[in-house]
Amino acid sequence: MSVTLRHHGLVTKKTVTVPVIPDREPLMNEHEVAARLGVRVGLLREWRYLDSKGSRSRGPKYLKLGRLVRYRQSEIDRYIDECSRI
């Protein structure tokens, strides 16, 4: 994966190797999830805010890793299945 770093006006591109943990599924960020669900990133953030206030769950389950918010692919698939009406 290529990453662009900006520091005091200098731009540096670095290639970063991300280790893959074999027994773990990859995590998605909120931008990837928003694109997959066809919603705005702001709506995901609103759902998370409402979840934190104790109201009924509105969006897919998520993980907090420090300040980062990540979603498991399986949780996104489950959320889509739960929302499907047949």
Side-chain angles (χ1 to χ4, degrees):
M1 172 171 58
S2 180
V3 178
T4 302
L5 303 172
R6 299 179 196 281
H7 184 67
H8 297 293
L10 300 174
V11 177
T12 305
K13 285 196 174 192
K14 290 188 173 190
T15 301
V16 179
T17 303
V18 179
V20 176
I21 303 170
D23 294 341
R24 303 275 178 163
E25 62 185 304
L27 300 176
M28 301 170 67
N29 65 35
E30 61 185 1
H31 297 279
E32 294 166 329
V33 173
R36 174 98 195 278
L37 296 178
V39 299
R40 296 174 292 106
V41 172
L43 183 57
L44 290 175
R45 291 175 182 166
E46 183 178 331
W47 286 342
R48 290 195 310 265
Y49 172 77
L50 293 171
D51 286 351
S52 72
K53 295 301 177 193
S55 67
R56 68 178 180 84
S57 180
R58 298 181 194 282
K61 291 183 182 178
Y62 59 94
L63 303 168
K64 286 286 286 188
L65 306 171
R67 292 177 54 191
L68 301 176
V69 175
R70 295 294 183 258
Y71 296 83
R72 287 190 173 104
Q73 179 68 46
S74 59
E75 289 297 333
I76 303 307
D77 293 339
R78 186 186 59 73
Y79 177 75
I80 291 171
D81 291 342
E82 286 179 356
C83 292
S84 298
R85 296 182 189 194
I86 296 177

